[in-house]
Amino acid sequence: MSNNRSGAFIGGLIVGAAVGAVAGILAAPRAGRETRQLLRKSADALPELAEDLSSSVQFQADRLSESALRNWDSTLVRLREAIAAGIEATQRERQVIETSDTQGTSQVDQPVHDNLV
C-alpha cells in the first residue's frame, strides 16, 4: 500500500507544481508578450513533464507488481506445505484406523496397560 501512496503523492506533486506554475505565470504582473512567451515555454515543457510522470507511475506499478508476485509465490508455497501436511495427517489417521480394524478393537476400547506393552 505504501508504494501506491508514494506513487499517488509523486503524481500529485508534479501535477500541483504544473498547475501552480501556470497560475503563477497568469497572476504575475508582466506584459502580455512576456506572459505569452512564458506560457509557450511551459507548454513546450508539458510533454517532457508528462513523460516524467508516466515513467514515475510505470516504475511504481512495476514495483507493486513485483511485490504482489513475491507475496503470491510465498502464499503458494505455504498452501502447498499445508496441503501436503494435511494429506500426510490423513494417511496416518487412515493407517491407525485400518490397524485398529484389523485387530478387531479400536485403540479407544483397549485398556491403558495394553497400550503400554
Side-chain angles (χ1 to χ4, degrees):
M1 281 194 185
S2 64
N3 291 340
N4 191 17
R5 288 182 182 169
S6 64
F9 175 77
I10 292 171
L13 184 68
I14 292 172
V15 170
V19 170
V22 169
I25 289 171
L26 293 175
R30 294 184 185 215
R33 177 177 289 169
E34 291 176 31
T35 303
R36 284 191 297 275
Q37 286 176 347
L38 285 174
L39 286 175
R40 227 178 277 121
K41 287 180 183 179
S42 296
D44 291 342
L46 281 178
E48 185 178 323
L49 180 65
E51 186 177 331
D52 289 346
L53 178 61
S54 173
S55 296
S56 175
V57 168
Q58 183 64 41
F59 177 73
Q60 292 296 332
D62 289 345
R63 282 182 43 188
L64 182 61
S65 176
E66 289 172 8
S67 174
L69 282 175
R70 279 193 307 271
N71 289 340
W72 177 250
D73 288 341
S74 172
T75 301
L76 277 178
V77 167
R78 288 184 295 152
L79 180 61
R80 286 183 182 134
E81 290 172 353
I83 289 172
I87 290 171
E88 183 179 324
T90 301
Q91 289 172 346
R92 274 190 266 126
E93 185 67 25
R94 251 190 221 142
Q95 287 175 349
V96 168
I97 291 171
E98 288 172 0
T99 302
S100 65
D101 286 345
T102 58
Q103 292 176 353
T105 60
S106 70
Q107 289 182 344
V108 175
D109 294 339
Q110 292 180 355
V112 175
H113 67 278
D114 287 347
N115 288 335
L116 297 175
V117 177

